[in-house]
Amino acid sequence: MIGRGFEWRRFVRTWQAVLAVWLAYAVVRIAIQPLLGWEPVDPDDWTRLLQVRAWLDGQAFWDVTQYRMNPPEGFSMHWSRLVDLPLAALMLLFGERAALVLVPLLWLLPALFALRAIMLRLDFPPLALACGLLIMPLFPMVPGNFAPMRIDHHAPQAVLALVCVALLIRDSRWSAVACGLCAAAWVVISLEGLPLVAVIAGLYGVRYWFGERTLLPWFLGSLAIAATALAYGTRGPLDTAYCDVLLPGHLLTFAAAALIAAIIPFLPWQDRVQGRLLALGAMGLVCLQLASALLGPCATNPMAELDPMLQEWWHGMIAEGLPIWEQSPSVALSLVWTIGLIVVGWWRAHCRGLFHQGRALPCTLLFLFALAAGGYSLLVMREGVVAQLLAIPFAALLMAEFLPKARAIASPVPRIVATLAAVGLTTPLFASALVAPLDDYVSRDGVPPDAEDFTQRWGCNYGALADLPPGLVMAPFDGALEILGKTDHTIMAASYHRNQRPMVDLLLAMTGSVDEAEAIVREYGIDYVVICGSASDVAFYRTASPNNFANALVSGEPPEWLEPALTPSNSSLRVYRVER
């Protein structure tokens, strides 16, 4: 038994343990995938697939316009080719389905290695290390982003954030350079990561403030150079008409920050804490002023100029982008529980002296960044993926502390209860599941509870439209991308904010009168009008007015200028052909 225990404790610290955990997770996910289906999960996954297909079919690398949306102009997109690269490579090597299965699972591998690196750097005991590698499925926002067919950009962002932290808590210049490179890739993929990248820069500043190694210039220099190379290399000449991607103003601010950070150590009074704090504060003020001057309106929320119609009927209904007070009880509790695990885990580790002897600063840096990510998730729910990944080490410490105590209880029933409590209280899954029944009493995904009465229990197979001659389709946002993915049709609009006019017109048609809808249909030259009565966005459109266009379509009594083109049996899908 002693020998086995010793071997187990040695094995859990090796890279082979990471591979074993990843392989077990991958096998289970692939085994259950036939029950879940072999199609992309949501509209963003469909769009990512369409983007890679278009590239492989000959569309220019720098051109990510979706020309099958609102043809012939197409839809301008802000997405990065960085996320397309692994998908395209595996599609060429193994085919489309294999790529859709493997790419999300492969993103999990560097996440697990980063978790291992964090826990080894903080010298976790073997049981805590094992828990940290195994408990990821108990964090409700994490597993779905690494599941087969989930190919949007959220997993790469979360992985890059986690790798940045693993590098941040190390002490070498090369780790700072690598951290800057990962941070650059992160903000090139999505500008939403910029606040947390700023936090990383601030934490490198904290290291300098407390007299640690001068790593801030190396991080900022790498960030400035890599962000410039990746931005121009994956997008070509930067389009300054939009605020949703890295702009020359961002890049110049990064460069200025790197230059100032390199000069600071040579300024007077840098041998004193007060002098270092004054220099860092002045640097922050200068960079903020520079960013404001260079970026203008783009220095604030890129969604600030969103059309009110889109804000009310689209953007304000996307749960993943909303703050905690707009979330269902189960999601809200999951976010709060995650922050609680970070705080309690750090406090317990501090009280037990686990992070003394040179590990106090790395643990504090991890704690502060995890706390920042948790706070960010209260404003933008999807940032909870990053927060929950960063909470795993703290949860692992708590579980490793309480689980042995629970297992040491002699009586079977108390031992079982204590064991379940040790697992349930140190992860957010069970608390979130406990309050999930309350979700039925509040809005879901922006749909008021009374709108749920309109929905039906069966879904819609948009692939049936492939039997119709190709044409321009008007369909609500949630189903439009699947139509593109499964057929040769084009669509009027999809939910991508740069293209506000066709999006607004689609919403005006669906929520307005039949006569207003006809005018829009004629203006765009629509061939087919498609609606899925069981879709949540359709249910929401129907609440606008009892006699609006969406209600007329779902009722099966369309206006005279529409004729049924396809009516699948046992489905709420309605397909109408526009009479000329």
Side-chain angles (χ1 to χ4, degrees), residues 329 436-444 449:
L438 299 178
D439 293 353
D440 292 332
Y441 298 96
V442 298
S443 298
R444 290 189 306 209

Side-chain angles (χ1 to χ4, degrees), residues 418-471:
T419 300
L420 292 175
V423 176
L425 293 175
T426 56
T427 57
L429 178 63
F430 299 101
S432 178
L434 190 64
V435 301
L438 299 178
D439 293 353
D440 292 332
Y441 298 96
V442 298
S443 298
R444 290 189 306 209
D445 296 327
V447 180
D450 58 353
E452 297 294 332
D453 295 337
F454 291 118
T455 62
Q456 303 179 41
R457 294 183 179 275
W458 49 83
C460 295
N461 176 23
Y462 294 102
L465 274 73
D467 295 333
L468 299 173

Side-chain angles (χ1 to χ4, degrees), residues 310-565:
L310 293 179
Q311 181 61 42
E312 179 181 1
W313 292 96
W314 170 62
H315 191 257
M317 303 299 113
I318 302 174
E320 68 175 30
L322 298 179
I324 186 172
W325 52 87
E326 299 286 348
Q327 302 297 332
S328 63
S330 62
V331 172
L333 182 60
S334 178
L335 296 174
V336 173
W337 203 277
T338 299
I339 296 175
L341 290 174
I342 293 169
V343 173
V344 175
W346 178 81
W347 177 73
R348 290 295 302 169
H350 177 73
C351 290
R352 296 181 65 198
L354 293 181
F355 299 130
H356 294 168
Q357 300 176 352
R359 295 185 294 274
L361 180 62
C363 178
T364 301
L365 293 173
L366 171 63
F367 167 69
L368 291 175
F369 188 77
L371 201 61
Y376 196 10
S377 73
L378 301 183
L379 300 176
V380 182
M381 182 268 277
R382 55 177 164 259
E383 295 301 324
V385 180
V386 176
Q388 292 199 346
L389 280 171
L390 293 169
I392 287 176
F394 298 103
L397 283 172
L398 292 172
M399 190 177 293
E401 177 183 354
F402 296 118
L403 199 56
K405 296 178 181 178
R407 301 304 300 161
I409 298 174
S411 301
V413 174
R415 181 171 65 249
I416 293 172
V417 172
T419 300
L420 292 175
V423 176
L425 293 175
T426 56
T427 57
L429 178 63
F430 299 101
S432 178
L434 190 64
V435 301
L438 299 178
D439 293 353
D440 292 332
Y441 298 96
V442 298
S443 298
R444 290 189 306 209
D445 296 327
V447 180
D450 58 353
E452 297 294 332
D453 295 337
F454 291 118
T455 62
Q456 303 179 41
R457 294 183 179 275
W458 49 83
C460 295
N461 176 23
Y462 294 102
L465 274 73
D467 295 333
L468 299 173
L472 179 60
V473 177
M474 172 188 279
F477 296 145
D478 285 358
L481 281 308
E482 188 173 343
I483 293 173
L484 290 187
K486 291 183 173 181
T487 74
D488 293 328
H489 297 292
T490 56
I491 60 171
M492 171 186 171
S495 52
Y496 296 102
H497 61 271
R498 285 187 173 185
N499 312 276
Q500 295 196 31
R501 183 173 183 269
M503 291 177 67
V504 169
D505 287 342
L506 175 61
L507 292 173
L508 288 172
M510 288 294 167
T511 60
S513 68
V514 171
D515 291 340
E516 291 170 328
E518 182 180 10
I520 294 172
V521 166
R522 301 295 184 192
E523 178 186 354
Y524 279 84
I526 301 296
D527 297 301
Y528 304 101
V529 177
V530 177
I531 198 164
C532 178
S534 59
S536 60
D537 58 344
V538 173
F540 189 62
Y541 301 157
R542 296 181 68 181
T543 63
S545 170
N547 300 315
N548 67 8
F549 188 49
N551 278 298
L553 295 174
V554 173
S555 68
E557 300 178 0
E560 295 181 355
W561 48 274
L562 292 178
E563 61 177 3

Side-chain angles (χ1 to χ4, degrees), residues 4-14 17 21 116 119-120 122-134 352 354 396-397 399-401 403-404:
R4 291 180 184 176
F6 177 75
E7 291 298 325
W8 172 79
R9 287 173 172 80
R10 285 179 52 188
F11 176 73
V12 78
R13 298 179 66 86
T14 65
V21 170
R116 171 180 175 266
M119 293 186 290
L120 288 178
L122 300 178
D123 199 20
F124 273 31
L127 181 57
L129 235 171
C131 290
L133 293 176
L134 293 171
R352 296 181 65 198
L354 293 181
L397 283 172
M399 190 177 293
E401 177 183 354
L403 199 56

